Amino acid sequence: MVSYRRTKRILVTGGAGFLGSHLCERLLGQGHEILCVDNFFTGTRRNVEHLLDNTRFELLRHDVTFPLYVEVDEIYNLACPASPVHYQFDPVQTTKTSVHGTINVLGLAKRVKAKALQASTSEVYGDPEMHPQAEHYWGRVNPIGPRSCYDEGKRCAETLFFDYHRQHGLPIKVARIFNTYGPRMHPDDGRVVSNFVVQALSNQDITIYGDGRQTRSFCYVDDLIQGLIALMETDSTVTGPINLGNPGEFTVRELAELVVELTGSRSEIVHKPLPQDDPRQRKPDIERAKRALDWHPTIELREGLVRTIEYFRTQIAA
Ligand SMILES: NC(=O)c1ccc[n+]([C@@H]2O[C@H](COP(=O)([O-])OP(=O)(O)OC[C@H]3O[C@@H](n4cnc5c(N)ncnc54)[C@H](O)[C@@H]3O)[C@@H](O)[C@H]2O)c1
């Protein structure tokens, strides 16, 4: 328990999603009061069901594209569908969530003098010419493609955060999150880890898009949450953007083979055409996070996958 004076009222938008639910859980564990706001587009009540009995936890169904009037000390803005199948389902709503949603969150932060943290993404780097991607790199993003609703929405959200900071002196933090995986990922979200694990556990073919030589980095959810909280706790001189992710780089083929090994699956690996604008390489440069937050990921891919596979096994059995 923390003393009353150190207890913060914290708003987590998108709190019933994959990352949001872990964040709510961790902040609640630190003794804070949590207001979890979600429109349940991709998140579910089930993700936070185990928190509902806690008197310091409140769940509110609300769409962040509409204003919200509450009293809080800190805001983590995570609301936004994160996987291509979900954000391309209603691309206009995706951009609205990032842009209108962020304006509403920042308006609220300004009114109640709260600190605001934006869950941005490595997708702001687009299909990068720079490898690994450091924060000073401005990115190579297609503004009119099928991924643009997400990438450009997130880029605009970063702009809004920095303009509120410059124009109104708002304390802000911007985290650029790289590929994160773990329990409570949506089983049908088409993201590579959940896809492979679900396919392997049901002994279906494992689909690799392209030749499988494209690389990805995979950060386990507990490491990521640790990084987000560490960033929020920095003093006002640290605004970010700060990359948070695991710099370990694996080809998609290596990931598929590891999942087959750890699940003991009989699945075959098959190939399908690469979708448009699929990035060839993704690897965070986390030097800034190491220096500013004294943070680095500690959970190896193999260990994180074992925990994730365990979660999906129970979900499939249920
Ligand atoms: N998981 C990753 O690898 C990753 C990587 C980079 C960035 N991010 C960012 O982190 C955040 C959380 O991602 P996630 O992986 O947990 O995805 P998620 O889809 O599980 O979570 C997003 C949550 O936001 C909610 N939401 C969507 N639109 C909303 C709206 N208009 N109003 C209120 N709630 C809304 C959804 O219902 C869901 O609960 C997102 O902003 C995402 O862009 C995630």
Side-chain angles (χ1 to χ4, degrees):
M1 290 292 288
V2 292
S3 74
Y4 178 73
R5 286 171 66 80
R6 285 182 49 220
T7 302
K8 288 181 277 198
R9 296 161 305 173
I10 304 177
L11 166 62
V12 179
T13 75
F18 160 49
L19 296 181
S21 61
H22 286 273
L23 180 62
C24 289
E25 192 177 293
R26 186 80 70 92
L27 292 169
L28 207 55
Q30 293 181 345
H32 302 298
E33 285 176 21
I34 310 302
L35 173 58
C36 168
V37 162
D38 208 295
N39 69 350
F40 302 123
F41 175 51
T42 52
T44 65
R45 239 176 99 84
R46 202 164 0 103
N47 284 341
V48 288
E49 212 167 29
H50 58 298
L51 309 177
L52 291 174
D53 285 341
N54 193 316
T55 51
R56 284 181 286 103
F57 182 78
E58 210 178 334
L59 176 62
L60 175 69
R61 180 191 288 265
H62 173 81
D63 185 323
V64 294
T65 60
F66 297 97
L68 180 66
Y69 299 93
V70 289
E71 298 292 320
V72 288
D73 304 303
E74 289 179 353
I75 306 172
Y76 288 85
N77 188 32
L78 271 63
C80 186
S83 76
V85 271
H86 290 146
Y87 69 64
Q88 289 170 8
F89 174 77
D90 185 349
V92 172
Q93 175 67 12
T94 299
T95 306
K96 271 191 187 168
T97 295
S98 278
V99 178
H100 294 198
T102 299
I103 290 173
N104 288 330
V105 158
L106 291 168
L108 170 65
K110 180 170 166 252
R111 264 195 313 277
V112 300
K113 298 189 170 46
K115 212 192 299 183
L117 181 147
Q118 169 65 1
S120 189
T121 169
S122 55
E123 299 296 330
V124 300
Y125 299 122
D127 190 2
E129 306 102 326
M130 180 182 176
H131 190 72
Q133 291 88 48
E135 292 86 346
H136 60 78
Y137 177 56
W138 289 354
R140 181 167 169 265
V141 176
N142 176 358
I144 57 166
R147 301 174 75 107
S148 311
C149 58
Y150 183 70
D151 303 3
E152 296 289 23
K154 289 284 187 180
R155 285 169 69 93
C156 184
E158 287 199 11
T159 307
L160 286 161
F161 262 70
F162 277 87
D163 281 335
Y164 265 78
H165 176 64
R166 281 184 288 259
Q167 200 173 329
H168 302 296
L170 193 79
I172 60 151
K173 313 284 173 190
V174 174
R176 289 188 180 152
I177 303 171
F178 282 66
N179 217 346
T180 302
Y181 69 100
R184 296 194 211 124
M185 288 182 89
H186 203 291
D188 310 314
D189 68 4
R191 284 192 263 191
V192 66
V193 173
S194 46
N195 250 11
F196 287 179
V197 171
V198 171
Q199 288 170 334
L201 288 176
S202 38
N203 291 310
Q204 293 164 5
D205 288 347
I206 292 192
T207 26
I208 290 186
Y209 294 98
D211 60 11
R213 283 185 296 175
Q214 66 273 40
T215 67
R216 294 290 185 270
S217 66
F218 303 101
C219 185
Y220 188 67
V221 60
D222 290 1
D223 281 332
L224 193 274
I225 298 301
Q226 182 87 25
L228 285 181
I229 295 175
L231 175 57
M232 184 62 110
E233 285 174 356
T234 49
D235 67 42
S236 60
T237 60
V238 180
T239 56
I242 289 197
N243 288 341
L244 293 178
N246 191 323
E249 195 178 7
F250 297 85
T251 66
V252 168
R253 174 127 209 138
E254 285 170 330
L255 175 74
E257 286 167 355
L258 189 54
V259 168
V260 171
E261 180 202 322
L262 295 174
T263 50
S265 173
R266 296 189 306 276
S267 301
E268 300 284 330
I269 295 177
V270 298
H271 293 264
K272 285 199 176 163
L274 205 59
Q276 194 187 335
D277 296 339
D278 195 54
R280 280 160 302 173
Q281 278 184 316
R282 267 275 181 274
K283 173 179 163 149
D285 174 332
I286 59 162
E287 288 313 306
R288 195 181 277 187
K290 282 184 183 164
R291 274 198 315 276
L293 315 179
D294 192 21
W295 172 90
H296 64 93
T298 57
I299 297 161
E300 297 292 338
L301 180 61
R302 178 175 280 271
E303 186 190 340
L305 278 179
V306 168
R307 297 188 203 175
T308 309
I309 289 166
E310 200 40 52
Y311 166 79
F312 279 110
R313 233 188 256 285
T314 57
Q315 294 299 300
I316 288 171

